[in-house]
Amino acid sequence: MNFSSPFALTIYALTALALLGMPIGLSMIIASIGYLWMTGMDMGTAAEQFLNGMYSNYIILAVPLFIFAAEIMNSGSMTERLLRFCNVIVGHLRGGLAQVNVLQSLIFAGMSGSAIADAAGSGRMMQAMMTRENRYTPSYAAALTAVTAVIGPILPPSIPMVVYALVSDASIGYLFLAGVVPGLIMTAMQMAQVAWDARRHNFPVEERVPMREIPRVTWGAFPTLLMPVILLGCIYSGVTTPTEAAALAAAYAVLVSTVIYRSLSWREGYNAVLISARTSASIGMMIGGALVFNYVVTVENIPETLRAVMQGWELTPLQFLLLVNVILLILGCVLEGTAVLLIIVPVFIPTAQALGIDLVHFGVVVVVNIMLGLVTPPYGILLFIMTNIAGTPMKYIIRDCLPFLGWMVLCLALITYFPDLVLWLPRLAGYGS
């Protein structure tokens, strides 16, 4: 490799700008424009790639819509009612509040598709509930909220899967279905770890909700519980596309919060719009930057070069997947997940196709890797969120996360080695036929 070539200088510039604190999307755009200038190409190509990519991919619209739906749920009382319902189901078990934390993340996953929205939304309520009267340590409550929030983007709908579909042309509908079994496996593993911790540390048993209260709590949560049913039902019945379903989810969240629950004020609605716009703009800039940078990568023929190198190594599909897992797990410790999806993953896709690896299976493996990165130091963004919420040192949160991380790595190993765990449900729906 020529370490003074235009591409190498582009990588140096991108790294330097990112380390200086510039947003990664802008860093990619500036570094890519520098590459076009050094190679004598038309620098207007950067704008062309940005605009063509952003305006020709209808699926990108799903990202801000899912973010807005999650913000409305957290601003209104939908999340609070969901927690009450989960408490009815598992709150009476030993370590019941911890089990409620896992269960609410499972249900919330069917509504927002965002791990950050889950942790930031229900995280404050769960932290307050679990640490009241010293039931649980602040670090354990924070660690549990962080690791359970990871479930959200694995189950449908999923914002990372939308982004993966953008770079791979895989079916977003089948990707959503493929995440169901891995998400349920991870949920079961987390609940098993909580049950073990509850016995080992003698976690408290919460007072059972009286039978006469169960119908009222269930009825109060019913509109919220109906949201994933409507959302996924519309997608898989063919009534809507995933993007249209995202718009439906946002509209339904507004309807329930304002008309049925009457819990969303104008100020809260306005703040939800602002937060959604800022988050969407940040993700959109990163997607746009990646589209420009990926053009540079394509011009340099990096994917084909990597595929030739991999073929020279004569890797089997399983060996390739294991190598990808190791690379993504390492990168997840230091890079933001969306950046990994947009910059690194497209380089692996041609090799995966050449080895006969199903792109839907590959997508789920990639997304699980990315989710693990959200709770691995030093860059795990969920760790930063929960450190801020809990007000406890991150080292204690990381310590309490470790057993759950072990289970999550085991889940990753299972879906890597057994593709049928991922592809079983999509095949039932007609995938590959």
Side-chain angles (χ1 to χ4, degrees), residues 274-294:
L274 282 182
I275 294 171
S276 302
R278 292 191 188 109
T279 306
S280 301
S282 175
I283 294 175
M285 183 59 70
M286 191 176 296
I287 292 174
L291 291 169
V292 178
F293 183 73
N294 286 342

Side-chain angles (χ1 to χ4, degrees), residues 97 125-136 204:
L97 277 180
M125 284 182 278
M126 286 306 312
Q127 190 72 21
M129 291 169 62
M130 292 181 68
T131 56
R132 188 181 300 132
E133 299 176 358
N134 296 318
R135 288 182 173 94
Y136 301 83

Side-chain angles (χ1 to χ4, degrees), residues 115 143 146-154 160 182 186 189-190 324-338 340-341 363-383 398 401-416:
V147 296
T148 58
V150 167
I151 299 171
I154 298 172
M186 190 173 291
M189 288 177 170
Q190 291 184 352
V324 170
N325 282 341
V326 171
I327 293 172
L328 294 183
L329 287 174
I330 293 172
L331 290 176
C333 295
V334 294
L335 289 177
E336 198 274 334
T338 306
V340 175
L341 268 174
V364 174
V365 170
V366 164
V367 168
V368 172
N369 272 289
I370 299 300
M371 292 306 101
L372 279 168
L374 295 178
V375 286
T376 51
Y379 191 80
I381 191 168
L382 293 180
L383 298 177
I398 293 171
C401 277
L402 290 178
F404 294 96
L405 280 172
W407 285 112
M408 292 158 72
V409 171
L410 175 60
C411 178
L412 175 62
L414 287 174
I415 66 172
T416 300

Side-chain angles (χ1 to χ4, degrees), residues 9-318:
L9 295 174
T10 301
I11 298 298
Y12 302 153
L14 171 58
T15 305
L17 290 171
L19 290 175
L20 288 171
M22 181 175 286
I24 187 68
L26 287 176
S27 299
M28 286 188 285
I29 292 173
I30 293 173
S32 300
I33 291 174
Y35 173 87
L36 296 174
W37 175 73
M38 285 185 288
T39 55
M41 299 175 67
D42 182 6
M43 288 188 286
T45 303
E48 180 185 352
Q49 292 297 316
F50 187 101
L51 294 174
N52 287 344
M54 295 297 285
Y55 288 104
S56 64
N57 286 289
Y58 178 63
I59 198 170
I60 295 177
L61 282 174
V63 175
L65 291 168
F66 279 132
I67 292 172
F68 179 65
E71 289 299 328
I72 290 295
M73 287 181 62
N74 290 328
S75 298
S77 64
M78 295 178 72
T79 302
E80 183 180 349
R81 291 170 187 266
L82 175 61
L83 289 175
R84 291 177 191 165
F85 174 76
C86 293
N87 188 51
V88 167
I89 299 175
V90 296
H92 60 280
L93 303 174
R94 181 163 296 280
L97 277 180
Q99 298 288 13
V100 167
N101 201 335
V102 181
L103 185 60
Q104 67 86 21
S105 289
L106 173 67
I107 300 174
F108 195 91
M111 306 177 196
S112 74
S114 169
I116 295 173
D118 186 355
S122 63
R124 294 187 183 277
M125 284 182 278
M126 286 306 312
Q127 190 72 21
M129 291 169 62
M130 292 181 68
T131 56
R132 188 181 300 132
E133 299 176 358
N134 296 318
R135 288 182 173 94
Y136 301 83
T137 63
S139 62
Y140 186 85
L144 185 61
T145 299
V147 296
T148 58
V150 167
I151 299 171
I154 298 172
L155 288 162
S158 165
I159 291 175
M161 287 186 182
V162 172
V163 177
Y164 174 80
L166 172 68
V167 299
S168 68
D169 288 330
S171 166
I172 184 63
Y174 288 129
L175 277 168
F176 281 179
L177 275 181
V180 172
V181 172
L184 293 177
I185 291 173
M186 190 173 291
T187 302
M189 288 177 170
Q190 291 184 352
M191 296 187 85
Q193 180 63 42
V194 167
W196 170 259
D197 290 342
R199 290 184 177 86
R200 191 159 57 101
H201 299 296
N202 197 30
F203 286 163
V205 178
E206 306 300 320
E207 185 177 348
R208 186 184 291 269
V209 177
M211 287 292 293
R212 64 179 181 276
E213 292 291 317
I214 294 177
R216 183 183 64 82
V217 173
T218 304
W219 180 250
F222 183 74
T224 301
L225 298 172
L226 201 60
M227 185 172 174
V229 177
I230 294 174
L231 181 62
L232 300 178
C234 287
I235 293 175
Y236 295 114
S237 66
V239 174
T240 65
T241 65
T243 302
E244 291 165 346
L248 179 63
Y252 183 80
V254 172
L255 176 68
V256 171
S257 296
T258 56
V259 177
I260 299 178
Y261 293 154
R262 297 182 181 179
S263 59
L264 186 70
S265 67
W266 283 105
R267 179 178 294 276
E268 289 171 334
Y270 177 71
N271 288 335
V273 171
L274 282 182
I275 294 171
S276 302
R278 292 191 188 109
T279 306
S280 301
S282 175
I283 294 175
M285 183 59 70
M286 191 176 296
I287 292 174
L291 291 169
V292 178
F293 183 73
N294 286 342
Y295 175 78
V296 173
V297 171
T298 303
V299 169
E300 286 287 320
N301 210 26
I302 300 298
E304 292 301 319
T305 302
L306 179 63
R307 183 169 69 173
V309 171
M310 293 287 187
Q311 286 176 341
W313 291 351
E314 296 183 352
L315 295 176
T316 66
L318 179 60

